[in-house]
Amino acid sequence: MMFKSPGEIAFSIGFIDVYYYGIIMALAILSGIFVILVLRKKFFPEISSDRIFDISFLLIISGIIGARFYYVLLDYRYFLKFPYEIPALWHGGISIQGAILFGILAGIFYVKKHNINFFRYADLFVFGLVAGQILGRWGNFFNSEAFGIPTNLPWKLFIPYANRPVQFKNYEFFHPAFLYESILSIFIFLILYLILTKYSNRKNGFIFYIYIILYSIARILVETIRTDSVLNIYGIHIAHIASVIFIVIALIGLSILYKKKIKE
């Protein structure tokens, strides 16, 4: 079994090209909202669907801005040369870590304004986030990006010559890193759902912090084989560094969560 992208453009309407990446991102967002609404009804009945849509809109906007801003900031040399590429989201180039960071900041702003519990909502919305990640990673497939080192494994991914790193121009097949992260996200979702259904004595915020830890571990594993890091610090991928920081913050948060009484 070999993976090969059919190309970036799904179809055209007149002179307007519709990209697979945009379609996948839209479906990922919709699937995330759907999952949130389904889980809200059974496990978070006190949260209204209207509130879900209000927060979802805020998180979508802030997430997209944060994901792109983070990526542009890390690869600023390229975007200084080609500033017209900054808004070209359909070409790829977004960071989930940036989306998470900006989403958290937007969420904090919202709950402070409406005087509601951040962790209660965060425990629900991470399910939508990870559901969106499962599908959203396939946008990288159509753009022939987010791949790993060369391989000849049966599930190898063909990468066009123009998309190959300079040091691997003579290789055709690479690890489908996007697929690995998508599969790991499925496992993360299942673990979080198990916690939701079986661990009834958890405190608000527990699921949120566990998600941060699990995704950061998954990202460290996948990033180890990826070849497209936009920034390395002393040979270490910036995604590795960010993931470790996220894990440390989450562990501290869990420690505080179970040492101090949180307003429920």
Side-chain angles (χ1 to χ4, degrees):
M1 178 179 66
M2 179 190 76
F3 291 95
K4 182 179 180 180
S5 170
E8 298 180 6
I9 300 174
F11 57 89
S12 299
I13 303 176
F15 59 89
I16 300 176
D17 294 328
V18 179
Y19 289 78
Y20 281 111
Y21 193 88
I23 294 174
I24 294 297
M25 290 302 107
L27 291 175
I29 290 172
L30 291 175
S31 66
I33 295 175
F34 174 77
V35 167
I36 291 171
L37 289 172
V38 171
L39 295 182
R40 176 208 71 83
K41 189 174 182 180
K42 185 175 182 180
F43 300 102
F44 302 82
E46 79 282 3
I47 300 178
S48 69
S49 56
D50 288 340
R51 182 81 76 180
I52 294 296
F53 288 116
D54 285 346
I55 298 177
S56 294
F57 177 77
L58 175 64
L59 294 182
I60 290 168
I61 298 301
S62 61
I64 292 174
I65 293 174
R68 188 59 170 176
F69 176 79
Y70 188 89
Y71 184 86
V72 170
L73 184 64
L74 295 182
D75 200 16
Y76 70 92
R77 291 186 181 89
Y78 172 83
F79 288 102
L80 283 176
K81 292 181 180 178
F82 308 101
Y84 54 85
E85 280 289 320
I86 293 177
L89 294 176
W90 52 90
H91 290 163
I94 61 175
S95 168
I96 293 177
Q97 290 175 322
I100 292 172
L101 180 59
F102 273 59
I104 290 173
L105 294 176
I108 292 174
F109 169 79
Y110 185 92
V111 299
K112 290 291 185 181
K113 181 178 180 180
H114 295 273
N115 194 30
I116 55 180
N117 187 287
F118 171 83
F119 290 117
R120 181 63 175 168
Y121 283 77
D123 281 351
L124 172 58
F125 274 82
V126 290
F127 284 98
L129 174 58
V130 71
Q133 287 175 248
I134 292 171
L135 182 57
R137 268 304 176 192
W138 283 85
N140 300 132
F141 164 67
F142 292 102
N143 278 2
S144 293
E145 60 185 5
F147 52 88
I149 56 178
T151 184
N152 277 314
L153 290 171
W155 53 86
K156 58 193 176 184
L157 172 68
F158 175 79
I159 295 296
Y161 185 83
N163 295 72
R164 299 172 198 167
V166 174
Q167 67 272 34
F168 297 126
K169 285 295 185 181
N170 294 326
Y171 293 86
E172 292 185 320
F173 304 105
F174 299 78
H175 278 282
F178 78 91
L179 175 62
Y180 299 158
E181 189 167 325
S182 179
I183 292 173
L184 287 172
S185 294
I186 293 175
F187 283 107
I188 292 173
F189 185 93
L190 294 176
I191 292 171
L192 296 181
Y193 186 76
L194 185 64
I195 294 173
L196 178 65
T197 56
K198 302 298 183 182
Y199 186 20
S200 59
N201 292 326
R202 69 184 184 278
K203 285 193 174 184
N204 290 334
F206 183 78
I207 291 177
F208 167 72
Y209 283 129
I210 293 299
Y211 162 76
I212 295 295
I213 292 172
L214 291 178
Y215 174 68
S216 296
I217 292 173
R219 186 60 185 271
I220 288 173
L221 294 175
V222 174
E223 198 71 23
T224 300
I225 64 168
R226 281 181 61 169
T227 62
D228 59 345
S229 177
V230 295
L231 178 63
N232 294 317
I233 299 178
Y234 295 108
I236 303 175
H237 291 192
I238 187 63
H240 278 154
I241 297 173
S243 295
V244 171
I245 293 174
F246 274 132
I247 290 173
V248 171
I249 292 174
L251 289 173
I252 293 173
L254 282 174
S255 177
I256 295 174
L257 200 64
Y258 280 89
K259 284 184 177 179
K260 299 177 76 173
K261 185 176 181 180
I262 302 295
K263 180 181 177 182
E264 300 293 334

